Amino acid sequence: MESQRSADPQYHDMEQNPHASSSRWRHQESSAYRRHAGSAHGQARDPVSAETTTGDLANFLNASRVGPAGDTNGGGNFRPITVAAVQPSEREEAGGAGDADGAGDAGRRLPPDGKEIVCGPLLNYRQMEHNRWYGSVLIVTTGGGKRILYQPSLVLRRADDAAATSAQNGANATSATRHPDTAAASSSGTRFEAKRLYSDPRNTFWVFEIDVPIEAREVKYEYEIPDVRYSRDHKPRVNSFFVPAADESMRVMFHSCNGFSVGTDEEAFSGAPLWRDVMRKHARAPFHVMLGGGDQIYNDGIRVNGPLRPWTDIRNPKKRSEFPFPESLRAECDDYYLKNYIRWCNSAPFAVANGQIPQVNIWDDHDIIDGFGSYVDNFMRCDVFRGIGGTAHKYYLLFQHHIPPPPSTYTSDHVDANGNSPGPDPNQLVDTFVADPRLGTQYIRGPKPGPYVAEHSLNLYTRLGARMAMLGIDARTERTRRQVNYPETYAAVFDRLRRELGEAVGSGRPIKHLILLLGIPIAYPRLTWLENILRSPIIGPVKFLHRRFGVGGGLFNQFDGSVDLLDDLDDHYTAKTHKVERRDLVEGLQRVSAEFSVRITILGGDVHLAALGRFYSNPGLKLPVEKDNRYMANIVSSAIVNKPPPQAVANLLARRNKIHHLNSQTDETLLDFFDKDPGETNKTADHNHCTMPSRNYAMLTENSPNNVPTDANGEIPEEQSFIGKNGHSEMHRGEVHAGTKHKSASDAHGRGNDGSLDIRINVEIDQHSAEGQTEAYGLSVPLLHYEKPLATPGGPEAGGNLRS
């Protein structure tokens, strides 16, 4: 980065601005700097990491709040990024990198032939049915429109010896018979033809819908796309993935916040090195699936160096809310999302992982723009938010789910008298192909469109091998400041969950562990005291001074003029506004857990630190965890790329780690999970053993009953009793020695045979290391052997407000 600064005239001009701050950790520069930058004397300085005046908590939660402080005359302190066209000869000299964003054909000597892959392959897992594994591979090629330039194909084969390959070709002949339009057996593997999802003159999205048999042992498959060119050299030409054995569950990797907030000094965090650690672990014991808990990409830059900058520059919230979203602005935003997805999915080392570990994703706010859904209602309904919500949703479906988008997205040019789109916008369909909509059986579609993204939520249920399954709740499409999801959506989700779990029991292959994928933690410390302050009347005069004179600029957001931290706090399940909805969801899960004797474990990200929350029965009930349907661990793993909060924030949250009462029978608190800081670092205070402000990701592996018996619990006495202990203590055998000394944190991870679930959070040791070395912290979650108790008046068994 420093060499770039010295060589780049833009950086040289920045350094000449006499009003530049000496700190690189500035969110935005002074008005004097901005005036100078807007003149002929200097250029705008790129944003780096944040430092405002509202303290460590505000620094963290405001990390992506980069915006102008004043005028709208073009003198802002940021300059949009422009990309020069690259000739073919220059592409070769640059190592095949092509255009900086990989999209578009401007300046090329030859017209596109449809054979250049500018993004992908991206590998997804879909479902297991009828003893087959189903997935998909997405590629994005240059050029397109309604005319097909070239239809690619994919060759899939076992990565075994020639004899095994020949046997597999014979087995896959049935696949070719069942899918004559997509698959054909050959001597070198099975060939799948691509299906076109979407195409316009810039790019074409192709999907290969692949399936393979599930066998008695784990099988490695290889795939390649012949007769094509790649825009990036670091993307493997032959990729591979693993399918678990028929009587084994999947090894799961979980991540969230896979990108940087606007203003982060990426150089100081060595880019995205934890993906290297992921691939090292994948090489030793391959992951069968990786679950993305939201913020798989950060699109917030659209308002800083993208087409929404003029809108953000408007200081008056009322004028900003009335700003139109015409077709011209939609096209610019569409191009931004497309290029940002291509850039990020092609960035090493993430680019290697996303072609070799099958993905299952839900989304969160940064996949759209920071805070989307949690600002005040009348502002969220403005044209710009409706427009970018639809545009981001389009590329979320394409890149993260490999399914066709709606024919067009919202613009203020194409609405009826009620402000609704009367049908597909013909302006967006010029020389554009959009496939007919189709959803796989893994989706649970929300019954009605969201309030700000005018599309239905996409929730997920899919089996993760022999004894595990996952449920993913789309907590963004329907979100408002007052709700996370509609009651009707919860009802549909629970109906489907009961049907799937019931069918699994009926088949003789019951689900023992259900993984619930959420975008945000649900067992997490409260910040009600801060909410009360920011909503109190004392903020009123400050807000008035801010509107009139700009006082307290760092305290208020650049969108609706509200207190900036409130949208972050309102985003949490633990916010006061979500209290009832949160309780009803947890109680509904408790009933399902009891009904099917299934252990539920929750995954949540968003908060940029690691923690382990738990719900559990009130100790007064003297119920062992092995029989406790209320015991649910919430693995908080975030972020795999984004910067962590300051120590002070993590320590403050640890101070707030009280024992809370969800209801009369259910308590919750964080586990003292971190017995030491990673490596030789000093990341937390001595009193803090429950929140870790360092980048991280998680692993989950069943201790399969098919494993060879081992002395997994070591020196833990079999007769040790945990009855009556609360959440500040070890509550079962799997929590004893939780942290670096637990067997789940060692090479013994997942090698027991008691059916429990080994959980491991891999925490970055040194953010300055490009290798992404981590230290492991582990615990185990036991199987549930539920025994129906005598009726307890007033408890969750007696009912709840959530229809489930």
Side-chain angles (χ1 to χ4, degrees), residues 502-621:
E503 290 177 358
V505 171
S507 71
R509 296 174 63 85
I511 300 298
K512 298 296 186 179
H513 290 280
L514 176 68
I515 310 301
L516 174 63
L517 182 61
L518 300 175
I520 47 180
I522 195 167
Y524 197 66
R526 313 292 201 268
L527 290 174
T528 306
W529 58 276
L530 184 58
E531 291 183 73
N532 291 336
I533 293 173
L534 297 180
R535 296 183 195 278
S536 70
I538 64 173
I539 294 295
V542 182
K543 187 181 291 187
F544 172 78
L545 292 173
H546 169 70
R547 285 198 303 266
R548 294 294 299 272
F549 308 109
V551 172
L555 183 62
F556 300 94
N557 70 59
Q558 296 291 326
F559 289 140
D560 61 2
S562 298
V563 177
D564 201 11
L565 302 185
L566 277 176
D567 72 283
D568 285 286
L569 297 175
D570 286 341
D571 229 28
H572 288 197
Y573 274 111
T574 51
K576 287 197 302 184
T577 53
H578 303 316
K579 183 177 180 180
V580 174
E581 182 177 357
R582 173 180 179 269
R583 185 195 67 217
D584 288 348
L585 172 58
V586 174
E587 290 179 353
L589 293 169
Q590 291 174 350
R591 289 191 287 273
V592 168
S593 178
E595 186 175 343
F596 297 95
S597 194
V598 60
R599 177 68 72 196
I600 298 177
T601 299
I602 305 168
L603 304 178
D606 182 71
V607 294
H608 302 179
L609 51 73
L612 203 294
R614 300 104 85 223
F615 296 101
Y616 54 91
S617 286
N618 185 314
L621 297 176

Side-chain angles (χ1 to χ4, degrees), residues 599-600 614-616 625 628-632 732 735:
R599 177 68 72 196
I600 298 177
R614 300 104 85 223
F615 296 101
Y616 54 91
V625 166
D628 184 6
N629 65 304
R630 301 183 190 92
Y631 181 90
M632 302 179 205
H732 58 88
E735 290 185 357

Side-chain angles (χ1 to χ4, degrees), residues 373-374 448-452 475-490 570-571 573 577-578 581:
S374 291
K448 61 182 181 180
Y452 313 132
R476 188 56 51 181
T477 304
E478 299 171 3
R479 175 179 289 274
T480 71
R481 203 163 206 171
R482 299 290 176 182
Q483 75 173 25
V484 180
N485 288 98
Y486 296 130
E488 298 90 338
T489 296
Y490 285 121
D570 286 341
D571 229 28
Y573 274 111
T577 53
H578 303 316
E581 182 177 357

Side-chain angles (χ1 to χ4, degrees), residues 113-114 144-152 196 199 204 206 433:
D113 59 2
K146 292 190 174 179
R147 181 173 63 92
I148 295 177
L149 300 175
Y150 174 76
Q151 184 173 5
R196 195 166 50 145
S199 183
T204 299
W206 295 100
F433 168 83

Side-chain angles (χ1 to χ4, degrees), residues 425-439:
D425 186 347
N427 293 317
Q428 297 178 42
L429 295 176
V430 175
D431 197 17
T432 297
F433 168 83
V434 185
D436 292 334
R438 59 178 183 270
L439 290 178

Side-chain angles (χ1 to χ4, degrees), residues 264-584:
T264 303
D265 185 350
E266 298 180 21
E267 177 190 7
F269 288 89
S270 307
L274 262 62
W275 285 109
R276 292 189 175 91
D277 193 63
V278 170
M279 295 310 293
R280 284 193 295 269
K281 297 200 171 39
H282 180 63
R284 291 197 293 270
F287 298 113
H288 299 116
V289 67
M290 63 178 178
L291 306 181
D295 299 339
Q296 275 71 250
I297 186 171
Y298 276 60
N299 286 314
D300 307 332
I302 194 170
R303 65 182 176 86
V304 175
N305 51 28
L308 291 189
R309 180 57 192 270
W311 176 67
T312 312
D313 280 349
I314 300 172
R315 286 191 60 186
N316 187 299
K318 186 175 186 297
K319 292 182 179 178
R320 196 179 298 116
S321 68
E322 295 172 349
F323 198 86
F325 193 78
E327 169 59 22
S328 58
L329 181 55
R330 183 214 62 83
E332 292 179 10
C333 291
D334 188 286
D335 209 47
Y336 180 94
Y337 282 108
L338 170 65
K339 290 180 178 180
N340 200 37
Y341 261 106
I342 290 175
R343 176 194 65 82
W344 183 244
C345 292
N346 263 355
S347 297
F350 176 53
V352 178
N354 61 37
Q356 303 203 17
I357 309 175
Q359 304 176 69
V360 177
N361 297 319
I362 61 172
W363 67 338
D364 207 20
D365 58 337
H366 294 284
D367 296 275
I368 312 170
I369 197 171
D370 183 29
F372 188 95
S374 291
Y375 298 109
V376 295
D377 181 73
N378 61 350
F379 186 72
M380 281 302 314
R381 295 183 185 275
C382 75
D383 286 336
V384 170
F385 268 153
R386 293 178 68 184
I388 63 172
T391 307
H393 180 262
K394 168 185 175 179
Y395 288 111
Y396 168 63
L397 295 186
L398 285 167
F399 281 97
Q400 298 197 42
H401 289 275
H402 306 180
I403 56 179
S408 63
T409 60
Y410 176 87
T411 69
S412 52
D413 295 342
H414 187 69
V415 293
D416 57 25
N418 297 318
N420 299 314
S421 298
D425 186 347
N427 293 317
Q428 297 178 42
L429 295 176
V430 175
D431 197 17
T432 297
F433 168 83
V434 185
D436 292 334
R438 59 178 183 270
L439 290 178
T441 58
Q442 72 270 32
Y443 291 104
I444 309 167
R445 191 169 182 259
K448 61 182 181 180
Y452 313 132
V453 179
E455 305 295 340
H456 295 256
S457 64
L458 290 181
N459 310 278
L460 291 152
Y461 176 91
T462 190
R463 191 152 188 153
L464 301 180
R467 290 167 294 276
M468 289 174 57
M470 68 145 289
L471 172 68
I473 295 182
D474 177 350
R476 188 56 51 181
T477 304
E478 299 171 3
R479 175 179 289 274
T480 71
R481 203 163 206 171
R482 299 290 176 182
Q483 75 173 25
V484 180
N485 288 98
Y486 296 130
E488 298 90 338
T489 296
Y490 285 121
V493 166
F494 275 104
D495 285 347
R496 172 68 177 275
L497 180 59
R498 281 191 164 87
R499 185 169 73 251
E500 294 283 357
L501 294 177
E503 290 177 358
V505 171
S507 71
R509 296 174 63 85
I511 300 298
K512 298 296 186 179
H513 290 280
L514 176 68
I515 310 301
L516 174 63
L517 182 61
L518 300 175
I520 47 180
I522 195 167
Y524 197 66
R526 313 292 201 268
L527 290 174
T528 306
W529 58 276
L530 184 58
E531 291 183 73
N532 291 336
I533 293 173
L534 297 180
R535 296 183 195 278
S536 70
I538 64 173
I539 294 295
V542 182
K543 187 181 291 187
F544 172 78
L545 292 173
H546 169 70
R547 285 198 303 266
R548 294 294 299 272
F549 308 109
V551 172
L555 183 62
F556 300 94
N557 70 59
Q558 296 291 326
F559 289 140
D560 61 2
S562 298
V563 177
D564 201 11
L565 302 185
L566 277 176
D567 72 283
D568 285 286
L569 297 175
D570 286 341
D571 229 28
H572 288 197
Y573 274 111
T574 51
K576 287 197 302 184
T577 53
H578 303 316
K579 183 177 180 180
V580 174
E581 182 177 357
R582 173 180 179 269
R583 185 195 67 217
D584 288 348

